[in-house]
Amino acid sequence: DQQVKQNSPSLSVQEGRISILNCDYTNSMFDYFLWYKKYPAEGPTFLISISSIKDKNEDGRFTVFLNKSAKHLSLHIVPSQPGDSAVYFCAASGSATNKLIFGTGTLLAVQP
Amino acid sequence: NAGVMQNPRHLVRRRGQEARLRCSPMKGHSHVYWYRQLPEEGLKFMVYLQKENIIDESGMPKERFSAEFPKEGPSILRIQQVVRGDSAAYFCASSPGLTRSTGELFFGEGSRLTVL
């Protein structure tokens, strides 16, 4: 049962343009949503999160949007930079535990 | 370096041998989580531990896998009688507790197990 889904395995964008990564979830009990970035042979690093009581959170070039009615969230990166090229994982957790459930990831390639 | 420390970074075992992966959480963190990433797949939750307690092991395979987080020392993920399908990257994460200002877990660099 895949509770967190990232349906796009990969995304390619031009440097300076916007990158939009999408994530869907099925469990309405999730109350925190996070995005992690991962380079090959390294551990995931936290990017940004949003609680279920909000619909938007912004941190520099990164903005996460949450649409609870659609059970959908997205990560916007603008402007995209070549150093942003990595695998991006969406994750969610419920109120009873810190455990994170991850999506399968989206490989972002930012072309110079 | 006060981050999550995992060792070994790379481990090669033959089928039937045992693999032990170690994880020292960030200073001040008392909660540890183990995840597995199979080739071309996402991160799958395995087990969540506090000191001397297993909180959630719903992602652990029923056989050959065990985890502990003793009062002193690192957390250990133990895989007995390894098979080729156990080849994966195993990531450990830690958190300070149930304080959930961001929900963030802090990950180590991972241990890459190769079973020949």
Side-chain angles (χ1 to χ4, degrees):
Chain A
D1 177 26
Q2 189 68 29
Q3 297 185 68
V4 179
K5 300 177 186 178
Q6 294 177 257
N7 292 319
S8 298
S10 63
L11 174 68
S12 181
V13 299
Q14 289 295 121
E15 181 178 5
R17 307 294 289 269
I18 185 171
S19 296
I20 300 176
L21 298 105
N22 293 302
C23 178
D24 298 294
Y25 62 95
T26 58
N27 189 339
S28 57
M29 299 304 290
F30 287 145
D31 63 351
Y32 269 99
F33 303 89
L34 302 87
W35 286 93
Y36 278 80
K37 176 180 180 180
K38 186 180 180 303
Y39 293 116
E42 294 186 10
T45 55
F46 171 75
L47 264 180
I48 191 169
S49 67
I50 188 168
S51 119
S52 60
I53 62 173
K54 296 185 175 180
D55 54 19
K56 177 182 174 181
N57 188 26
E58 190 172 354
D59 182 4
R61 296 186 298 115
F62 302 92
T63 303
V64 57
F65 295 92
L66 175 63
N67 181 337
K68 286 191 292 295
S69 61
K71 294 192 176 69
H72 177 84
L73 65 154
S74 60
L75 174 68
H76 293 211
I77 307 173
V78 57
S80 301
Q81 299 173 354
D84 296 330
S85 298
V87 177
Y88 288 78
F89 289 99
C90 169
S93 70
S95 58
T97 175
N98 282 359
K99 173 177 91 177
L100 293 180
I101 306 298
F102 282 86
T104 50
T106 297
L107 174 62
L108 173 65
V110 180
Q111 309 296 334
Chain B
N1 186 342
V4 177
M5 302 300 294
Q6 290 189 248
N7 68 84
R9 292 294 310 276
H10 300 275
L11 182 64
V12 179
R13 286 287 179 264
R14 296 191 181 278
R15 280 179 296 169
Q17 291 184 319
E18 179 179 288
R20 284 189 181 224
L21 309 177
R22 289 174 291 278
C23 170
S24 296
M26 283 183 71
K27 188 175 181 180
H29 286 191
S30 58
H31 293 224
V32 164
Y33 313 75
W34 285 94
Y35 286 82
R36 175 167 66 174
Q37 185 179 25
L38 294 168
E40 308 302 321
E41 293 189 13
L43 292 151
K44 298 289 189 183
F45 169 78
M46 299 182 76
V47 63
Y48 165 26
L49 311 102
Q50 294 178 26
K51 289 279 187 183
E52 301 185 282
N53 282 306
I54 295 175
I55 305 303
D56 182 342
E57 55 181 349
S58 58
M60 286 282 268
K62 294 287 185 271
E63 298 177 345
R64 301 187 297 109
F65 285 71
S66 62
E68 63 175 4
F69 189 15
K71 187 177 180 181
E72 301 291 338
S75 175
I76 306 284
L77 179 67
R78 182 184 178 203
I79 312 171
Q80 295 177 289
Q81 299 175 336
V82 295
V83 302
R84 289 210 173 113
D86 297 332
S87 295
Y90 291 83
F91 292 96
C92 172
S94 72
S95 70
L98 284 175
T99 302
R100 303 181 67 239
S101 57
T102 64
E104 179 184 359
L105 302 185
F106 298 81
F107 280 83
E109 297 286 292
S111 292
R112 279 149 188 84
L113 172 65
T114 301
V115 180
L116 302 178

